[in-house]
Amino acid sequence: MSTPLDSPDQGGLATLDRELEELIREENIEPGDHERFSHYVKKDKILESAITGKPVRALCGKKWTPGRDPEKFPVCPTCKEIYESLIG
């Protein structure tokens, strides 16, 4: 009978790492307008993404990994509309 230490690539952290990588690939960056707009995302999610590299989801539903200066782009009209309806 083998133990997890006998075959470290079968289970444990290696499996979790592979599963996490697969999830991130499945939730990969969507092509489209997110490249042209700044989106509204919870601040804690942006910090988490900066630390982990995990993609974020904007109010409009777009998923991507932040990396560009949002000040250089116009605000996503869908995010803006949703945000205003939440605070209005």
Side-chain angles (χ1 to χ4, degrees):
M1 183 168 155
S2 67
T3 66
L5 294 177
D6 293 334
S7 48
D9 290 337
Q10 296 181 8
L13 291 177
T15 299
L16 291 175
D17 287 344
R18 281 194 306 273
E19 289 174 358
L20 178 59
E21 287 174 9
E22 287 175 25
L23 284 172
I24 290 172
R25 275 194 299 273
E26 287 173 11
E27 295 183 11
N28 215 353
I29 300 167
E30 295 177 6
D33 290 342
H34 69 276
E35 295 295 331
R36 294 181 247 165
F37 292 116
S38 294
H39 293 276
Y40 290 162
V41 177
K42 291 182 179 180
K43 286 182 183 180
D44 62 325
K45 295 296 181 185
I46 293 174
L47 178 60
E48 179 183 340
S49 177
I51 294 169
T52 65
K54 179 180 174 184
V56 296
R57 182 182 301 270
L59 289 178
C60 68
K62 292 285 184 183
K63 283 193 268 184
W64 83 105
T65 304
R68 297 185 180 167
D69 181 3
E71 298 291 323
K72 295 182 179 180
F73 302 94
V75 173
C76 167
T78 306
C79 281
K80 185 175 182 177
E81 182 180 325
I82 293 169
Y83 179 76
E84 288 174 351
S85 72
L86 293 173
I87 63 168

